[in-house]
Amino acid sequence: MIKIYICENEKAHQAIINKYIRDYILFQSYNMEVACVTNRPNVVIEKIKKEKSIGAYFLDIGLNSNMNGIQLAEQIRNEDPRGFIVFVTSHVELSFLTFQYKVEALDIIAKDSQMVHKIHACIDNIYIKYTSANNNIHKTFAIKLNNEYLYLNTNEIIYFETSPNVHKTYVHTDTYKLEFTGLLKNIEPQLDDNFFRCHRSSIVNKNFISSIDYKNKVIHLINGDSCLISGKKAKEMKALTINSPRLQ
Amino acid sequence: MFHQLQNIILIIKIYFFHIKTSLRKKIAINSLLFLPFILAVSSILVLYFTKICTNDITELLFYMIHSIHFNTFLFVLYFMISITSILIMFKNKRINHILKNKEETFNNLLKYTAKIEKMHSEISSFKHDHMNIMLTLTNYIDTNNMTDLRKHFYAQIVPLSQTLHTKDSHLKQLMNLYILDIKSLICMKLIYALEKDINLLIEINDPIHTIHINHLDCSRVIGIFLDNAIEAALETDHPTISFYMIKQNDTVIIGIENTYTNKGISYKNIHLSDVTSKGMNRGIGLHNVSKILSHYTNIIHQTKTGERFSQVLIIY
């Protein structure tokens, strides 16, 4: 059951958004309900403090209150790190990429003629993400910034590789590569046994290996890249592959 | 005699070494101007206290010793003057370079203020029209004339609101970047992009006053990213570039996304010096970025491909 919270300071808009959401949930028979419709951000925070389940939040940005929609979203994130936040606003110039980064907002909807369709699309999106998220618990790899961490999903990481730049390491996924300060020997303990330190310069995710060339001591990965494997580790790898027929 | 010459050569070598190190460290070269004098004095002293010739030959070459000393003095004087002038030349070159940079920064900011002022006057004229709009609408509503109201609204009012969102309007986001030298470079590149009809989305929502990277390095890296983005976007049908800066506590995140045509170069290799989509003798920009960023341990650099090509720097 996903609980939906609406925070919007104009009564007319409140009613419209509430109606659109209620009608659509009914139409799709989703396991969701509108738990709260208010113009005061503190009400939302009070409610979710008592609540333990994941929520979906439709927030306006200009709330004419002690905090605006963005600050409210940050507070919501503190209480509900997995919740779904959608901004519904007339300030479309105020930008989306920033919110996406700071509070992991799902979407930003402009209060125009397309609003109803976008609300429907968001609710579908939330439902799909919720039902699939329940099945996976994503392990993360953390990169330390000053006081915070940057989290990457380990099941997206294909391999780690040392960079020619001093003390830096690359991490490769399907869509991006990232260079950060770190040593492989400090990274290795953080990872589970999906990862294998195959060479002095690389750690690979065994799930993404497409083939291993023992003669040339090279591991080929499914995104087309390749890593080196050292002699010693090649023997270890051979021993492992005998036990799991998938990795040949 | 040879022994003393060796001493003089040693002094000269030490002198040059000092010049080199101070140029490298960019220490004020003023202090070095005294060294030629010291060198001259010391070499003259060395010569005068030197027994260049034995007593026997002295008598024969008596007049020559004085000539030799005099010549040496002239030589050293000449040497000293030329070194001094070279040092002054270097110093002037450096000052000129700094002045040129300042002038460029200033010109970019002038261009930026011109754009802002233009936008401001557009808004002023809209405020002016607003009164008229309100008047006509009030009239229609008071007389309960729904059909005419509807006609007037869709014909006049809606198009008006759309003209406000011109492609320039994103430039005012740069207001939040308070670091002037980086701002002027970004202005220059983005105004160039606007002139090339690239669709621009700029997001700087938080005021940014400080950043944990040398401003010159930052300008160079952003400059390279923007150049690449502009060049790649212009190859597409709907060129779009997004530029954003986000501040989270003390961390600044800078991102540049652009539309591109996929030429099959993987993000893995794009930073190597011999890999480029641009043909021979070009495309060293990203390699330079890599070199500049290698001096910093507090920067994370992400290169992403997909629907858009994106470069993100996280500076903490």
Side-chain angles (χ1 to χ4, degrees):
Chain A
M1 168 68 81
I2 306 177
K3 298 212 174 209
I4 300 184
Y5 301 77
I6 302 175
C7 191
E8 163 67 61
N9 68 327
E10 267 183 64
K11 286 284 178 187
H13 296 168
Q14 250 184 37
I16 294 175
I17 297 174
N18 194 3
K19 180 176 178 340
Y20 287 154
I21 295 178
R22 280 217 156 100
D23 289 347
Y24 194 66
I25 298 176
L26 208 60
F27 176 64
Q28 295 280 32
S29 317
Y30 282 150
N31 188 11
M32 302 184 189
E33 71 169 4
V34 178
C36 170
V37 183
T38 177
N39 62 337
R40 297 207 314 272
N42 292 316
V43 168
V44 179
I45 297 178
E46 288 305 314
K47 283 211 161 178
I48 58 178
K49 275 189 176 159
K50 300 178 202 155
E51 187 65 53
K52 286 300 169 191
S53 61
I54 293 180
Y57 308 86
F58 287 80
L59 312 172
D60 190 2
I61 294 180
L63 287 172
N64 258 346
S65 174
N66 56 329
M67 63 173 103
N68 65 14
I70 306 160
Q71 292 157 330
L72 173 59
E74 283 174 359
Q75 294 232 21
I76 292 175
R77 263 292 157 241
N78 285 337
E79 302 289 337
D80 183 0
R82 290 250 175 101
F84 302 94
I85 298 180
V86 179
F87 289 102
V88 184
T89 177
S90 44
H91 291 118
V92 191
E93 286 161 23
L94 283 188
S95 24
F96 176 49
L97 281 167
T98 315
F99 300 161
Q100 199 177 24
Y101 209 97
K102 285 196 174 186
V103 299
E104 286 174 74
L106 194 66
D107 206 347
I108 182 168
I109 300 178
K111 287 179 185 172
D112 59 10
S113 54
Q114 294 297 311
M115 187 167 79
V116 68
H117 303 292
K118 288 209 174 159
I119 290 181
H120 292 173
C122 273
I123 295 179
D124 285 335
N125 203 356
I126 291 172
Y127 187 71
I128 293 172
K129 286 202 153 84
Y130 180 71
T131 44
S132 70
N134 269 339
N135 300 330
N136 303 329
I137 298 178
H138 296 301
K139 277 224 179 124
T140 56
F141 169 68
I143 300 175
K144 192 172 195 312
L145 310 183
N146 281 331
N147 296 322
E148 310 153 327
Y149 291 89
L150 181 70
Y151 293 103
L152 308 174
N153 274 334
T154 52
N155 61 347
E156 288 174 355
I157 297 177
I158 299 183
Y159 67 109
F160 293 86
E161 183 184 44
T162 53
S163 156
N165 298 322
V166 173
H167 288 312
K168 295 207 171 179
T169 320
Y170 287 128
V171 57
H172 293 258
T173 68
D174 199 25
T175 49
Y176 65 85
K177 85 167 175 185
L178 198 135
E179 185 186 34
F180 64 101
T181 306
L183 295 167
L184 285 186
K185 68 174 184 199
N186 297 328
I187 296 171
E188 222 186 320
Q190 283 184 52
L191 302 167
D192 61 13
D193 55 3
N194 279 319
F195 288 87
F196 179 64
R197 177 81 181 265
C198 57
H199 189 266
R200 212 162 60 92
S201 66
S202 351
I203 300 176
V204 354
N205 186 336
K206 294 189 280 192
N207 301 320
F208 289 105
I209 297 179
S210 70
S211 66
I212 307 176
D213 184 348
Y214 286 106
K215 196 162 157 209
N216 296 320
K217 301 260 175 46
V218 170
I219 297 181
H220 294 288
L221 302 155
I222 60 176
N223 70 339
D225 292 346
S226 40
C227 303
L228 298 169
I229 184 168
S230 68
K232 223 174 35 164
K233 299 288 180 179
K235 289 190 191 141
E236 257 184 68
M237 185 54 107
K238 267 192 185 156
L240 284 171
T241 51
I242 290 173
N243 296 332
S244 59
R246 193 178 60 76
L247 284 175
Q248 288 302 328
Chain B
M1 174 179 172
F2 189 60
H3 193 58
Q4 281 75 34
L5 269 175
Q6 267 188 325
N7 281 340
I8 296 171
I9 290 170
L10 189 66
I11 294 171
I12 294 174
K13 273 191 184 166
I14 295 172
Y15 182 58
F16 271 116
F17 178 71
H18 277 296
I19 296 178
K20 255 198 243 169
T21 47
S22 69
L23 275 178
R24 209 176 283 153
K25 290 188 203 169
K26 294 174 190 159
I27 296 171
I29 292 182
N30 280 326
S31 54
L32 281 180
L33 291 178
F34 285 110
L35 269 176
F37 291 97
I38 301 172
L39 175 69
V41 167
S42 53
S43 52
I44 291 166
L45 285 176
V46 159
L47 281 169
Y48 272 101
F49 287 109
T50 296
K51 295 212 167 91
I52 293 179
C53 308
T54 63
N55 278 333
D56 298 324
I57 314 175
T58 311
E59 287 165 347
L60 280 171
L61 301 174
F62 177 75
Y63 72 100
M64 280 189 78
I65 293 175
H66 287 284
S67 311
I68 291 170
H69 284 191
F70 186 60
N71 280 332
T72 322
F73 170 70
L74 281 180
F75 171 72
V76 166
L77 189 70
Y78 173 69
F79 182 64
M80 182 186 85
I81 291 175
S82 40
I83 294 285
T84 315
S85 26
I86 290 174
L87 290 176
I88 293 176
M89 187 184 80
F90 277 138
K91 187 173 152 198
N92 279 337
K93 240 187 166 184
R94 201 157 54 91
I95 292 174
N96 278 339
H97 192 66
I98 294 174
L99 274 177
K100 214 179 87 171
N101 270 341
K102 287 214 164 130
E103 200 181 323
E104 219 185 287
T105 311
F106 181 68
N107 283 335
N108 286 333
L109 285 173
L110 274 183
K111 257 187 171 178
Y112 173 66
T113 44
K115 282 258 167 183
I116 294 282
E117 281 167 5
K118 189 173 133 219
M119 274 165 35
H120 182 75
S121 66
E122 281 173 9
I123 291 182
S124 295
S125 63
F126 177 76
K127 271 196 218 175
H128 201 49
D129 293 337
H130 187 250
M131 281 227 312
N132 294 336
I133 294 168
M134 291 304 288
L135 218 56
T136 49
L137 285 181
T138 319
N139 192 20
Y140 283 129
I141 290 170
D142 282 343
T143 55
N144 217 347
N145 188 346
M146 198 53 192
T147 40
D148 276 347
L149 172 64
R150 185 177 282 127
K151 225 174 31 180
H152 181 87
F153 184 75
Y154 282 109
Q156 309 281 340
I157 314 283
V158 172
L160 204 63
S161 71
Q162 281 167 351
T163 57
L164 276 183
H165 291 283
T166 58
K167 54 190 175 133
D168 282 18
S169 61
H170 276 269
L171 217 53
K172 69 180 189 295
Q173 292 269 320
L174 281 169
M175 234 165 47
N176 273 325
L177 177 59
Y178 290 94
I179 306 174
L180 289 179
D181 33 9
I182 302 179
K183 180 169 171 157
S184 81
L185 176 100
I186 296 176
C187 281
M188 180 176 82
K189 303 282 179 191
L190 293 180
I191 291 176
Y192 175 71
L194 282 176
E195 283 166 10
K196 290 276 179 180
D197 279 329
I198 297 179
N199 194 15
L200 211 53
L201 284 117
I202 306 176
E203 284 183 29
I204 307 178
N205 282 334
D206 320 294
I208 297 177
H209 295 272
T210 55
I211 192 169
H212 295 297
I213 174 178
N214 176 297
H215 294 177
L216 185 63
D217 285 340
C218 189
S219 307
R220 285 171 68 197
V221 168
I222 296 182
I224 293 172
F225 284 157
L226 283 173
D227 283 336
N228 287 352
I230 292 172
E231 205 174 319
L234 287 175
E235 290 172 359
T236 64
D237 297 325
H238 299 287
T240 309
I241 294 181
S242 300
F243 176 82
Y244 55 94
M245 291 179 79
I246 302 170
K247 189 164 145 92
Q248 208 166 9
N249 305 326
D250 222 11
T251 309
V252 176
I253 298 139
I254 304 177
I256 296 149
E257 289 182 12
N258 61 285
T259 50
Y260 72 115
T261 49
N262 194 337
K263 292 192 183 159
I265 296 183
S266 78
Y267 53 76
K268 174 183 168 116
N269 297 320
I270 201 167
H271 289 264
L272 296 177
S273 54
D274 48 356
V275 174
T276 176
S277 64
K278 296 184 192 178
M280 298 283 289
N281 288 332
R282 293 193 58 211
I284 54 169
L286 288 179
H287 180 65
N288 287 341
V289 165
S290 213
K291 270 200 320 205
I292 297 170
L293 294 180
S294 66
H295 300 300
Y296 294 90
T297 53
N298 61 324
I299 300 186
I300 295 178
H301 173 203
Q302 181 196 44
T303 308
K304 190 166 167 165
T305 53
E307 220 179 277
R308 304 268 174 101
F309 184 75
S310 119
Q311 300 268 29
V312 180
L313 290 179
I314 303 178
I315 304 166
Y316 56 94

